[in-house]
């Protein structure tokens, strides 16, 4: 178990308690799969959770719906390579769907990109040429690659105060692979099937967690150690599904 901040915070001071990050997969509000993780963020749980699903059923799910906590490059790549029809949001998806949403003209996503010659154009019309790449690793060891572009001359630019505050010429970093994954995800999520799946997601795992905690009072595990806690929840999941069938 890891010390985490809980949603139930009686003292309202952000205190931490030892716990697990419980992940569940549901369909028609039946619990199909569950797994427990020591890390508080959901991003790193997706791939091992899907492997646990495959170990239980002998195959990966063909269609998956998940919220923005799972929308990372590593997870999108896993879905694509395994032929999973994924309706998974990314961190800016909800904001982009607002009626009056207008991206800042000084944000790098608003810059024009010439894919053939590989350069960006800033709001003042300057070409931002490629100057190199930046490699990063996630906590899982997955390597990401971002391309760096730099403007030719920002000195004396009348838009500089609104564009950026740092010294020198503006440099942007773009993860082209993640950008393409987000574009595909947006197309799927805004399609007719995507709207239907998004509407069902809020009444699937969220409803199960609500019934679990509010209706049945199952808010904490009664054992210590991951093997015993997994046994604890397994009995609850079996009982939950049997009651749902009845």
């Amino acid at each position: 178990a890891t010390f985490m901040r809980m949603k139930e915070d009686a003292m309202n001071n952000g205190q931490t308690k030892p716990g697990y990050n419980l992940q569940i997969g549901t369909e028609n509000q039946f619990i199909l799969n569950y797994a427990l993780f020591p890390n508080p963020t959901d991003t790193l749980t997706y791939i091992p959770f899907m492997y646990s699903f495959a170990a239980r059923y002998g195959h990966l799910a063909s269609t998956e719906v998940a919220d923005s906590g799972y929308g990372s490059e590593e997870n999108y790549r896993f879905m694509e390579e395994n032929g999973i029809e994924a309706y998974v949001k990314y961190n800016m998806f909800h904001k982009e769907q607002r009626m009056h949403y207008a991206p800042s003209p000084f944000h790098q996503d608003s810059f024009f990109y010439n894919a053939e010659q590989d350069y960006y154009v800033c709001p003042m019309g300057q070409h931002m040429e490629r100057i190199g790449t930046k490699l990063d690793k996630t906590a899982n060891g997955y390597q990401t690659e971002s391309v760096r572009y730099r403007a030719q001359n920002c000195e004396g630019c009348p838009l500089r105060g609104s564009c950026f505050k740092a010294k020198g010429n503006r440099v942007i970093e773009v993860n082209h692979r993640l950008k393409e994954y987000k574009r595909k995800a947006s197309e799927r999520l805004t399609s007719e099937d995507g709207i239907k799946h998004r509407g069902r997601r809020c009444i699937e795992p969220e409803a199960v967690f609500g019934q679990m905690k509010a209706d049945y009072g199952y808010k904490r595990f009664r054992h210590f150690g991951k093997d015993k806690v997994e046994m604890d929840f397994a009995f609850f999941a079996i009982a939950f599904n049997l009651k749902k069938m009845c």
Side-chain angles (χ1 to χ4, degrees):
T2 305
F3 279 92
M4 305 180 186
R5 287 185 172 85
M6 305 295 173
K7 291 183 179 178
E8 295 81 11
D9 185 5
M11 303 296 290
N12 198 28
N13 60 359
Q15 63 178 316
T16 58
K17 296 179 181 178
Y20 294 95
N21 184 352
L22 171 63
Q23 299 285 311
I24 62 172
T26 69
E27 185 168 353
N28 296 323
Q29 295 188 12
F30 285 90
I31 300 174
L32 301 185
N33 188 39
Y34 70 92
L36 295 156
F37 297 93
N39 47 292
T41 56
D42 291 334
T43 309
L44 302 178
T45 66
Y46 174 78
I47 294 176
F49 181 77
M50 294 316 303
Y51 280 136
S52 72
F53 182 96
R56 195 181 300 274
Y57 295 104
H59 62 84
L60 291 169
S62 58
T63 305
E64 293 174 12
V65 187
D67 64 19
S68 58
Y70 305 89
S72 69
E73 178 188 340
E74 183 179 8
N75 293 342
Y76 282 132
R77 185 171 185 176
F78 177 86
M79 299 169 206
E80 185 174 76
E81 290 178 350
N82 288 280
I84 298 170
E85 186 179 7
Y87 298 89
V88 179
K89 302 170 188 174
Y90 47 90
N91 55 357
M92 285 289 291
F93 176 76
H94 281 297
K95 192 172 183 178
E96 292 173 357
Q97 302 311 303
R98 293 175 184 171
M99 184 180 299
H100 301 294
Y101 171 72
S104 169
F106 301 105
H107 192 277
Q108 64 186 48
D109 290 342
S110 301
F111 294 2
F112 171 77
Y113 177 59
N114 186 315
E116 290 183 2
Q117 299 182 33
D118 193 18
Y119 67 82
Y120 276 84
V121 180
C122 78
M124 273 298 290
Q126 283 195 67
H127 285 196
M128 303 184 73
E129 304 292 345
R130 178 171 180 159
I131 59 172
T133 58
K134 179 183 177 183
L135 301 178
D136 286 306
K137 276 190 177 181
T138 67
N140 273 354
Y142 178 80
Q143 184 169 281
T144 62
E145 179 181 293
S146 298
V147 182
R148 305 179 80 238
Y149 299 87
R150 184 172 60 200
Q152 296 175 2
N153 184 16
C154 295
E155 187 176 351
C157 176
L159 301 178
R160 178 171 181 141
S162 301
C163 188
F164 77 113
K165 307 292 184 183
K167 295 180 180 179
N169 299 326
R170 182 170 180 183
V171 176
I172 61 174
E173 297 178 357
V174 182
N175 186 331
H176 288 291
R177 177 179 286 171
L178 179 58
K179 198 170 182 178
E180 179 62 16
Y181 284 146
K182 287 182 177 180
R183 185 192 65 79
K184 292 178 181 178
S186 181
E187 286 183 359
R188 282 193 295 266
L189 289 163
T190 53
S191 67
E192 187 176 341
D193 286 339
I195 293 170
K196 180 185 70 174
H197 285 303
R198 280 161 49 201
R200 282 196 55 79
R201 202 209 74 85
C202 58
I203 60 172
E204 277 288 344
E206 303 301 340
V208 171
F209 275 123
Q211 294 164 28
M212 184 191 309
K213 294 181 178 181
D215 297 349
Y216 304 144
Y218 190 84
K219 296 183 178 180
R220 63 166 52 199
F221 297 119
R222 294 158 290 188
H223 299 83
F224 295 95
K226 189 177 179 182
D227 56 341
K228 296 182 179 65
V229 171
E230 285 181 339
M231 172 273 297
D232 190 321
F233 187 77
F235 276 115
F236 175 84
I238 293 168
F240 183 93
N241 287 347
L242 288 172
K243 190 174 190 300
K244 183 74 70 173
M245 289 175 67
C246 294

